[in-house]
């Protein structure tokens, strides 16, 4: 039997017993002088606490800073509880992390309220192998950190998930997650995307990065990978939310990409180091992406797609939900188009995304076709021009009648149209110039 410390965490030291006394955990060894047995007999043989050591005048005794019990308990719970478990989230809210960890770690402790024997038995099996201190040390060695609710870097918008809120987040990367998440957009989509989808995801993400927005995705194949690469290519901010531990790249083919994200951006996960992904963990990962960001853009998705789960979670949380339309003949457009028939908004570029999720005044430029010279004519000149017959010519009087314009005004407008190359004069008759609609720089027939 192993002993536990003051917070209930296993120390790995054996429990010592004395006949006639209850079992008391042996204190964990601390660095310092060798034990008394190796130094000779102790000068005091009386029982009780040893006398206090003298302290030099003006100095305070040194205090050892132990691990934060709340943080250590949350680290342990990330290895025991599944992401998004709302029942466990309610236990955590009602009991606190330390009490919940004790209840799951000690077979003799009372289980949480409403817990079934089968569920508690399964969780206690996991608790037996939890080593939170080792996980925290491994994360530190990796150059990462473990974030808890209440930390300065904790993104407060994750609290919108209520009892499904992450227990904590394991993070790699030097940037501040909370600050990046305040100005972030999720770009998600099909794994087996087309070239069209990959191109749109990359260009959209690069445009967002150029405007100072962080691109969040799941580091999967297809649209996710293209989104991360687009942001990295623009030297922008990107966040990968994984369904496994941040020390393992999944999928394996994205090992280099995830490594680049960890250097230039952030890699985030709910699961502790070394934990593996499962189908349900991918689904639960999507709720974190939706809650973390200001809005979600879906680029290509079939009718049954995890990307649509992210989008609908974003809708439920009151976030902006957007979709990029595609060919109606493609099954990869069907899910996006279904989303657009509901509450999602059509977007075709980064400017339109920022217009929705950004601040007041972040307006997308107005889209319009090329301007022709004819578009610049005043209304009267346009009316006179339209009154001319398509073939042949007519005189000024007849043209004035057709345009419902006084003769002298019609005459003046005809000379203006003549100078602009719209009409030509043949004696006392006027007709359309055959090349009047050519635009500058256009080519006809191979000329």
């Amino acid at each position: 039997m192993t002993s536990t410390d003051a917070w209930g965490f296993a120390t790995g030291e054996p429990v010592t017993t004395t006949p006639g006394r209850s079992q008391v955990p042996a204190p964990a060894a601390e660095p310092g002088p060798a034990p008394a047995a190796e130094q000779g007999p102790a000068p005091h043989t009386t029982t009780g606490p040893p006398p206090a050591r003298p302290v030099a005048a003006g100095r305070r005794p040194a205090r050892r800073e132990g691990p934060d019990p709340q943080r250590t308990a949350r680290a342990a719970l990330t290895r025991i509880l599944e992401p998004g478990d709302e029942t466990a989230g309610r236990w955590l809210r009602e009991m606190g992390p330390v009490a919940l960890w004790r209840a799951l770690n000690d077979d003799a402790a009372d289980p949480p309220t409403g817990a079934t024997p089968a569920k508690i038995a399964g969780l206690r099996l996991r608790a037996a192998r939890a080593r939170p201190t080792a996980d925290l040390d491994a994360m530190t060695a990796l150059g990462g950190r473990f974030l808890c609710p209440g930390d300065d870097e904790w993104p407060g918008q994750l609290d919108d998930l209520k009892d499904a809120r992450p227990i904590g987040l394991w993070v790699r990367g030097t940037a501040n997650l909370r600050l990046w998440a305040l100005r972030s957009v999720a770009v998600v989509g099909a794994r087996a995307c087309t070239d069209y989808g990959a191109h749109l995801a990359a260009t959209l993400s690069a445009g967002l990065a150029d405007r100072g927005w962080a691109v969040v995705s799941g580091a999967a194949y297809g649209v996710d990978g293209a989104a991360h690469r687009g942001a990295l290519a623009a030297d922008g901010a990107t966040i990968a939310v994984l369904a496994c531990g941040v020390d393992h790249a999944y999928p394996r083919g994205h090992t280099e990409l995830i490594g680049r994200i960890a250097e230039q951006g952030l890699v985030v996960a709910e699961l502790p180091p070394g934990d593996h992904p499962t189908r349900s963990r991918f689904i639960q990962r999507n709720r974190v992406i939706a809650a973390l960001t200001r809005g979600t853009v879906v680029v290509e998705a079939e009718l049954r797609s995890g990307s649509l789960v992210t989008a609908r979670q974003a809708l439920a949380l009151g976030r902006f939900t957007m979709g990029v339309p595609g060919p109606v003949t493609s099954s990869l457009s069907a899910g996006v188009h279904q989303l657009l028939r509901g509450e999602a908004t059509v977007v075709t570029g980064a400017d339109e995304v920022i217009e929705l999720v950004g601040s007041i005044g972040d307006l997308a430029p107005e889209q319009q076709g090329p301007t022709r010279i004819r578009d610049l004519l005043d209304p009267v000149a346009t009316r006179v021009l339209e009154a001319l017959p398509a073939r042949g010519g007519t005189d000024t009087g007849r043209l004035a009648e057709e345009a419902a314009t006084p003769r002298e005004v019609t005459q003046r407008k005809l000379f203006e149209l003549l100078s602009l190359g719209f009409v030509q004069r043949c004696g006392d008759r006027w007709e359309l110039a055959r090349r009047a609609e050519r635009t500058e720089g256009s080519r006809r027939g191979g000329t």
Side-chain angles (χ1 to χ4, degrees):
M1 180 175 179
T2 59
S3 64
T4 58
D5 61 16
W7 301 309
F9 300 118
T11 63
E13 297 294 330
V15 174
T16 58
T17 58
T18 303
R21 294 186 181 181
S22 59
Q23 293 183 346
V24 181
E30 295 286 346
E38 300 178 7
Q39 297 179 352
H44 299 279
T45 57
T46 57
T47 59
R53 295 182 180 179
V55 179
R59 294 182 59 187
R60 294 183 179 181
R63 297 178 60 186
R64 287 181 55 86
E65 294 293 337
D68 179 3
Q70 302 281 336
R71 188 175 304 278
T72 309
R74 283 185 177 272
L77 292 172
T78 62
R79 192 167 289 280
I80 299 168
L81 305 175
E82 280 296 309
D85 186 339
E86 295 189 50
T87 299
R90 175 176 58 81
W91 297 341
L92 182 60
R93 172 172 50 83
E94 293 174 350
M95 301 173 64
V98 175
L100 179 57
W101 162 238
R102 285 176 176 165
L104 299 178
N105 191 45
D106 186 354
D107 292 341
D110 293 332
T113 304
T116 63
K119 182 164 187 173
I120 288 299
L123 294 178
R124 283 177 174 167
L125 287 175
R126 284 188 174 181
R129 68 170 189 249
R131 297 292 182 269
T133 303
D135 287 338
L136 291 169
D137 290 343
M139 199 65 200
T140 301
L142 196 63
R145 58 201 177 277
F146 179 62
L147 300 181
C148 298
D151 288 350
D152 291 340
E153 197 182 343
W154 181 261
Q157 58 267 43
L158 291 178
D159 298 343
D160 293 345
L161 292 170
K162 299 180 179 178
D163 286 341
R165 180 182 69 173
I167 300 167
L169 290 175
W170 303 86
V171 181
R172 287 177 62 192
T174 58
N176 186 295
L177 177 61
R178 183 181 67 84
L179 295 181
W180 275 23
L182 289 175
R183 191 177 170 86
S184 65
V185 176
V187 180
V188 297
R191 286 178 172 82
C193 68
T194 64
D195 292 341
Y196 166 82
H199 172 73
L200 282 178
T203 55
L204 176 67
S205 299
L208 290 168
D210 279 337
R211 297 281 298 273
W213 286 78
V215 175
V216 180
S217 200
Y221 290 130
V223 167
D224 287 17
H228 290 305
R229 290 188 181 96
L232 291 171
D235 291 328
T238 187
I239 303 171
V241 182
L242 305 185
C244 58
V246 297
D247 59 334
H248 284 77
Y250 188 89
R252 292 295 184 188
H254 278 177
T255 299
E256 182 181 356
L257 175 62
I258 294 172
R260 288 180 60 202
I261 296 171
E263 293 176 0
Q264 186 172 324
L266 291 169
V267 179
V268 179
E270 294 181 79
L271 296 161
D275 229 337
H276 63 280
T278 63
R279 183 179 179 84
S280 63
R281 288 173 176 179
F282 280 116
I283 298 298
Q284 293 301 329
R285 180 270 308 272
N286 293 341
R287 87 192 194 287
V288 177
I289 294 176
L292 194 63
T293 55
R294 297 283 296 273
T296 296
V297 183
V298 182
V299 182
E300 290 196 326
E302 293 186 304
L303 290 174
R304 288 177 56 86
S305 170
S307 303
L308 298 184
V309 174
T310 308
R312 288 171 181 139
Q313 184 71 61
L315 279 173
L317 293 170
R319 309 292 197 265
F320 293 100
T321 306
M322 298 151 277
V324 179
V328 296
T329 54
S330 172
S331 62
L332 289 170
S333 302
V336 181
H337 293 170
Q338 183 186 68
L339 197 65
L340 293 174
R341 292 184 65 188
E343 299 180 48
T345 303
V346 174
V347 292
T348 59
D351 289 333
E352 295 176 0
V353 173
I354 295 171
E355 184 177 55
L356 282 176
V357 303
S359 305
I360 295 175
D362 284 337
L363 301 178
E366 183 180 355
Q367 299 291 329
Q368 55 185 357
T371 300
R372 297 183 175 183
I373 299 176
R374 186 165 181 164
D375 298 332
L376 304 178
L377 297 176
D378 64 73
V380 177
T382 300
R383 195 162 61 245
V384 171
L385 181 61
E386 291 175 348
L388 282 164
R391 295 183 178 276
T394 186
D395 57 38
T396 305
R398 178 71 176 173
L399 195 57
E401 293 176 6
E402 291 293 333
T405 305
R407 183 185 177 89
E408 61 275 10
V409 175
T410 301
Q411 186 77 17
R412 187 168 64 250
K413 294 301 178 182
L414 282 169
F415 280 107
E416 290 179 8
L417 293 171
L418 177 64
S419 66
L420 294 172
F422 284 99
V423 300
Q424 58 190 23
R425 190 174 184 181
C426 301
D428 60 350
R429 298 174 68 81
W430 298 87
E431 63 183 29
L432 291 172
R434 293 306 168 199
R435 300 171 68 87
E437 284 298 312
R438 281 189 63 187
T439 58
E440 185 178 354
S442 65
R443 298 172 61 89
R444 293 185 60 185
T447 58

